[in-house]
Amino acid sequence: MNVLLHRLRQSFDSSQLLFMGFVLLLLIGGAAAALAQMPALLLPGLMIMVLLIAFVEWRWLYYLLFFLLPFTQEVTLLGGLSMDVPSEPLMLVLTACVGVTLVLQTGRIPRREWLHPLVVVISLMLLWTAIDTLFSVDAVKSLKYLLAKFWYIFPFLLGTLLIVQRPSNTWRFATVYATGTCLSVLYVASRHATKGFSFADINWALHPFFRNHVIYATMLALLTPFALLSMQATQNAGARFVWRIALGILLFGLYTSYTRASYLSLPIAGVFYVVMRLRLTRLLLLTIAIGTTITVTYLVSGDRFMEYAPDYERTIFNGQNFEKHIEATYKMQDVSGMERVYRWVAAAHMIAEKPLVGSGAATFYPEYKRYTIKSFRTYVSENPEKSTTHNYFLLQLTEQGIPGFVLFITLITTALLQAEKLYHRSNHHPEVRRIILAAVLSLVIILFHLTLNELVEVDKIGPVFFICLALLIRSESWLSGDNKG
């Protein structure tokens, strides 16, 4: 045995032996994971790879994460805990890397960007979440939520500001994420094709990488502006052709996802583009605010909302027929739509009880069940998925009270108004203008989905939300000449 080891040392240098050891560990972990059907057994090998890359150049991890994001899956750990692998371990490592980089000053974020309104508002949101934890109905859950926020904000807001030093770096992120996503679409399509691309089997085809078709479709929709603007940004004909193929794959995946909100999100983004060009963003936001206030006031006055209670027997899921699914939506007989109303009514009662501090971050489930009204109950109200309000704005108000809601609205309003201002300042900087457009249109697509789902804390969506904000911050520096790259 000693002779064999001696020969190995003579035949290979230390770096080759290290690499072989890593491959061996990965193969053993993969075999054990396959035999035991426990993906968590791959973690030791993956973590060693991650640590090696982190020591050499942590920015590689940033891009590696986006390539792997479409293939992450939830695994159950000891004690009933769960983790999205490999995204969450990578986020934790990236959080540490960004923190160390800032402390040791091996990377720099300009003072102007630290004081940017978007960074200030996000900081206030974190501060309020910490304060609100003291009043939470479940302080442990709220504290976990607060900690999780840090491993989204550090890698994807601050990390992006450290990595994206010049406009071309933006398209590198888009290329890596789009590559992984297109591969995932081909995987899903190969499974879905065996079922004739039927509406009933889309969630089956997504297994095991996506919890549901909404997350899958949202990921495809938010990448569409980046793919379109990347195609315009490149001067290489071959690269432009590849981006056309990628855009086609994204749109094909979106079409076969049968996700109504994602279908609508693309034209909504197009409308916002026109609004922004005409400098009407402030008017649009004011109209939405007034319209929402009038609608809510009307429904609450005299308990008019009770008139919209569904017929339990007729409110069903038309899983075999997408056309009937659409028809049931506008007739208010679709179970997923009316289940949202069931939870929104419960959320309204929760807000009325604790308007200032809410129930606490990450506590809507199962707290809301005490506030439901039986008249709005549907076939899926047992909620085995433990999902929440299906409206992120309402979720903020319910869980973190008026201050949390106002801060989130301030963040969104500031971002959209900032984007409009930057768009018109970038007339003579087409490379920056394309980045502004990609960021704001992707952000609008995410925001539209947030009216019907809660996705900011989903690993395939949340990172891009913060990256869009970071790109708007950095674009202002480019236009001001503070960060030439």
Side-chain angles (χ1 to χ4, degrees):
M1 187 67 178
N2 289 333
V3 175
L4 178 62
L5 290 174
H6 179 68
R7 287 180 179 174
L8 282 173
R9 289 194 192 99
Q10 288 184 324
S11 302
F12 303 98
D13 61 31
S14 57
S15 61
Q16 288 174 320
L17 288 171
L18 187 64
F19 177 75
M20 289 167 61
F22 162 69
V23 171
L24 182 62
L25 181 62
L26 201 60
L27 287 172
I28 293 171
L35 291 172
Q37 294 187 339
M38 289 179 62
L41 294 175
L42 273 168
L43 281 176
L46 289 172
M47 287 307 296
I48 289 175
M49 179 185 72
V50 165
L51 291 172
L52 286 173
I53 295 175
F55 279 120
V56 176
E57 177 53 84
W58 66 265
R59 289 164 180 81
W60 294 359
L61 290 182
Y62 181 89
Y63 296 113
L64 176 66
L65 171 59
F66 280 102
F67 179 75
L68 295 176
L69 264 185
F71 304 102
T72 59
Q73 56 181 303
E74 189 175 31
V75 299
T76 303
L77 305 177
L78 297 175
L81 298 175
S82 62
M83 175 179 283
D84 291 318
V85 176
S87 60
E88 288 192 337
L90 285 172
M91 287 181 196
L92 287 168
V93 174
L94 278 171
T95 299
C97 290
V98 170
V100 170
T101 299
L102 293 172
V103 170
L104 297 181
Q105 297 185 344
T106 54
R108 177 180 167 273
I109 296 175
R111 184 172 182 273
R112 174 196 181 99
E113 294 180 352
W114 281 111
L115 299 176
H116 193 280
L118 291 176
V119 175
V120 171
V121 175
I122 289 172
S123 300
L124 290 173
M125 289 172 66
L126 285 173
L127 177 62
W128 173 249
T129 301
I131 295 170
D132 196 48
T133 299
L134 300 174
F135 305 94
S136 174
V137 298
D138 190 333
V140 174
K141 279 186 177 181
S142 297
L143 184 59
K144 287 179 180 178
Y145 173 90
L146 177 62
L147 293 174
K149 272 295 181 187
F150 278 98
W151 72 62
Y152 274 89
I153 290 170
F154 264 68
F156 307 118
L157 183 71
L158 303 181
T160 300
L161 292 174
L162 288 170
I163 290 172
V164 181
Q165 296 295 318
R166 46 181 72 88
S168 60
N169 297 145
T170 302
W171 310 124
R172 190 178 300 162
F173 139 75
T175 300
V176 172
Y177 197 17
T179 300
T181 299
C182 286
L183 291 175
S184 73
V185 171
L186 295 176
Y187 164 81
V188 170
S190 68
R191 285 169 56 86
H192 204 187
T194 64
K195 304 289 184 179
F197 291 103
S198 71
F199 174 45
D201 295 301
I202 178 59
N203 283 323
W204 170 84
L206 297 170
H207 183 77
F209 302 122
F210 299 88
R211 293 190 188 100
N212 54 60
H213 66 110
V214 174
I215 294 173
Y216 173 68
T218 305
M219 181 184 73
L220 301 178
L222 68 83
L223 268 171
T224 301
F226 280 101
L228 188 61
L229 274 300
S230 293
M231 186 168 62
Q232 293 181 11
T234 183
Q235 302 300 314
N236 184 286
R240 196 175 296 118
F241 176 71
V242 172
W243 272 116
R244 286 196 185 98
I245 294 173
L247 184 60
I249 292 172
L250 293 175
L251 293 175
F252 172 78
L254 184 61
Y255 176 73
T256 55
S257 72
Y258 301 106
T259 309
R260 296 160 294 181
S262 298
Y263 288 173
L264 283 173
S265 68
L266 296 185
I268 290 291
V271 169
F272 181 79
Y273 170 67
V274 175
V275 167
M276 188 171 63
R277 286 201 62 173
L278 297 176
R279 302 178 188 267
L280 296 174
T281 302
R282 189 171 274 99
L283 178 61
L284 173 66
L285 294 173
L286 184 61
T287 302
I288 292 173
I290 292 172
T292 303
T293 302
I294 291 173
T295 302
V296 171
T297 303
Y298 171 79
L299 291 172
V300 171
S301 300
D303 289 339
R304 287 193 183 95
F305 68 90
M306 292 299 296
E307 299 172 12
Y308 298 92
D311 183 332
Y312 185 85
E313 297 299 330
R314 297 180 65 188
T315 304
I316 58 172
F317 175 60
N318 293 281
Q320 303 299 321
N321 190 309
F322 188 61
E323 288 75 16
K324 287 185 177 180
H325 186 55
I326 296 294
E327 182 182 346
T329 301
Y330 65 77
K331 287 184 177 180
M332 298 185 73
Q333 293 177 354
D334 168 51
V335 71
S336 63
M338 296 316 296
E339 177 61 21
R340 283 179 169 83
V341 177
Y342 175 69
R343 298 185 199 178
W344 293 348
V345 171
H349 285 90
M350 291 174 71
I351 293 165
E353 185 173 296
K354 291 185 176 181
L356 186 60
V357 296
S359 62
T363 61
F364 183 82
Y365 180 94
E367 187 70 10
Y368 81 96
K369 293 196 173 185
R370 300 195 294 114
Y371 298 87
T372 56
I373 294 179
K374 192 175 181 180
S375 304
F376 287 85
R377 187 174 176 81
T378 69
Y379 282 108
V380 296
S381 293
E382 288 299 319
N383 192 11
E385 292 183 349
K386 299 182 181 180
S387 54
T388 61
T389 55
H390 287 299
N391 182 302
Y392 195 76
F393 301 90
L394 186 59
L395 183 66
Q396 295 298 299
L397 185 55
T398 305
E399 292 188 340
Q400 301 194 49
I402 293 172
F405 174 75
V406 169
L407 284 169
F408 184 68
I409 293 297
T410 302
L411 177 69
I412 298 311
T413 302
T414 303
L416 296 179
L417 292 175
Q418 180 82 2
E420 180 184 270
K421 183 177 74 172
L422 293 174
Y423 175 80
H424 289 283
R425 279 180 58 191
S426 60
N427 272 330
H428 304 296
H429 301 275
E431 72 284 359
V432 178
R433 173 171 276 196
R434 281 189 285 264
I435 291 169
I436 294 165
L437 274 176
V440 73
L441 295 180
S442 184
L443 184 63
V444 167
I445 287 169
I446 294 172
L447 292 175
F448 180 72
H449 282 88
L450 292 185
T451 62
L452 296 169
N453 298 280
E454 53 288 322
L455 297 169
V456 175
E457 283 77 41
V458 173
D459 66 344
K460 292 175 174 67
I461 314 300
V464 182
F465 177 84
F466 289 105
I467 283 175
C468 290
L469 299 179
L471 290 176
L472 292 177
I473 295 169
R474 181 49 50 86
S475 293
E476 183 173 2
S477 294
W478 284 328
L479 293 175
S480 301
D482 292 350
N483 192 314
K484 298 286 187 184

